[in-house]
Amino acid sequence: MTIALDFRHRRCAVDAPPTRLIAAYGSHQRNGKRQALRSIVRHIMHTRGCIAAGDLNVVPGPLWKCRARRATADDDEFAAITGGGELPDAGTSMASIVDLGLQHAQGQFTRAHWTARLSDGSPKGTATLDHVLTAGLERGCWRRRAAWFAFDGDHRLVSDHMIIVVERAPRTVATDDQGV
């Protein structure tokens, strides 16, 4: 499932290219992961700026998962799109992954086990399956603002995924030394 919409900030010129925002889910059934990835690629190819976020159920490389999770052909396709998930992005891949600030080496991933915990009490995960991708004019313009696990009143996980908030990073502009 993929949902896309185009938006333009009210301060942008009328003829400025819109940014495409995509929400995607890579279902485990009927090649859903591959279809979600290919839908994102189609949107990237047809827009000048794109940000895509969702539960893609794929990892771009071995650092994004624990050893127990086996790599799939869909993971390989995601690795090809994102240049293996290199952070920071070198700008040579089709799409870059927004750094969510997770400490994969310490076992922090977006998909959580229901019982295992890290030393700080946060859920221990199996792989980072939730991603935010940027491409075109939006590449490198977005950053993590917050990410957390949701718990109910009994301190049990509500979901096996994190709530992730990203924000557009401030743009750097050359000054004209006249206050602009």
Side-chain angles (χ1 to χ4, degrees), residues 158-180:
V158 173
S159 172
D160 59 342
H161 298 278
M162 297 179 85
I163 298 167
I164 300 166
V165 179
V166 295
E167 66 183 352
R168 200 162 209 302
R171 295 181 187 192
T172 56
V173 180
T175 180
D176 65 357
D177 293 322
Q178 310 253 335
V180 178

Side-chain angles (χ1 to χ4, degrees), residues 141-153:
C141 294
W142 294 82
R143 65 183 179 197
R144 171 196 154 176
R145 179 168 185 165
W148 65 90
F149 287 101
F151 295 93
D152 65 14

Side-chain angles (χ1 to χ4, degrees), residues 26-98:
S27 172
H28 292 283
Q29 299 174 356
R30 294 190 288 274
N31 292 320
K33 293 178 270 188
R34 184 165 294 142
Q35 289 176 19
L37 291 173
R38 290 183 180 170
S39 177
I40 290 170
V41 168
R42 279 192 304 276
H43 285 289
I44 288 171
M45 299 296 287
H46 292 99
T47 60
R48 294 188 56 199
C50 182
I51 178 169
D55 172 11
L56 302 180
N57 283 308
V58 290
V59 295
L63 299 177
W64 296 75
K65 65 180 182 65
C66 70
R67 285 181 274 169
R69 187 181 182 282
R70 294 182 188 179
T72 67
D74 298 322
D75 293 325
D76 294 341
E77 189 165 331
F78 189 51
I81 295 166
T82 62
E86 286 294 320
L87 296 175
D89 176 50
T92 57
S93 60
M94 178 178 285
S96 65
I97 297 176
V98 174

